[in-house]
Amino acid sequence: MAKDPMSNFEIPAEMRQLAENSVVQAKAAFDGFIAAAQKAVDTLEGQAAVAQASAKDVGRKAVSFAEHNVTSSFEFAQNLVRAKDLQEVMRLQAEFIKTQIATMSEQAKEIGESAGKVAMIMAKPLS
């Protein structure tokens, strides 16, 4: 029987070393890619968590402001019912309007700042 020509074939040590080095380098490159991808995911998750918390804060503020404004309106209505004359009604109305304008201006400022923070967080590039 004829001898198998491949049985005496040996892979030179230099080729084995080159192949091994290539595998090690490929694994290192892949590990670097995975680490960068994980960092990007972690950053995105962190930004999303902060944005979600900020959005909840905006919602809580809006509900709190609405509650305050409704309470103020009921207090104003009670004061109107107790008014003794038209002059007192006019004074109460002027005070209420002045107070509501100042309150709503402050509330709009706070909501705007909070919403701006959420927008800035969401617009921030991943780093």
Side-chain angles (χ1 to χ4, degrees):
M1 189 169 225
K3 231 177 168 185
D4 183 10
M6 298 305 263
S7 65
N8 288 338
F9 181 76
E10 284 188 35
I11 298 174
E14 296 83 15
M15 274 187 97
R16 281 195 307 257
Q17 187 63 44
L18 180 67
E20 188 175 325
N21 289 344
S22 294
V23 170
V24 168
Q25 289 174 350
K27 183 175 183 330
F30 181 75
D31 289 347
F33 169 77
I34 292 298
Q38 186 62 47
K39 182 179 177 186
V41 167
D42 291 346
T43 300
L44 183 61
E45 286 175 349
Q47 286 179 335
V50 171
Q52 185 178 21
S54 296
K56 284 182 181 180
D57 182 52
V58 170
R60 281 191 290 272
K61 281 182 183 183
V63 169
S64 173
F65 293 161
E67 181 181 10
H68 176 269
N69 294 339
V70 169
T71 300
S72 295
S73 296
F74 279 121
E75 289 173 4
F76 170 65
Q78 287 177 338
N79 289 337
L80 276 182
V81 170
R82 295 181 191 132
K84 296 181 177 116
D85 55 31
L86 187 56
Q87 281 183 326
E88 189 174 0
V89 168
M90 297 303 284
R91 182 185 57 76
L92 290 171
Q93 177 70 26
E95 288 173 2
F96 178 72
I97 290 173
K98 181 180 176 183
T99 302
Q100 284 302 102
I101 288 172
T103 298
M104 290 193 175
S105 175
E106 184 60 33
Q107 290 171 350
K109 178 182 170 192
E110 283 187 45
I111 291 286
E113 288 172 356
S114 294
K117 288 177 187 176
V118 173
M120 292 298 289
I121 290 166
M122 297 308 293
K124 184 179 176 184
L126 296 178
S127 48

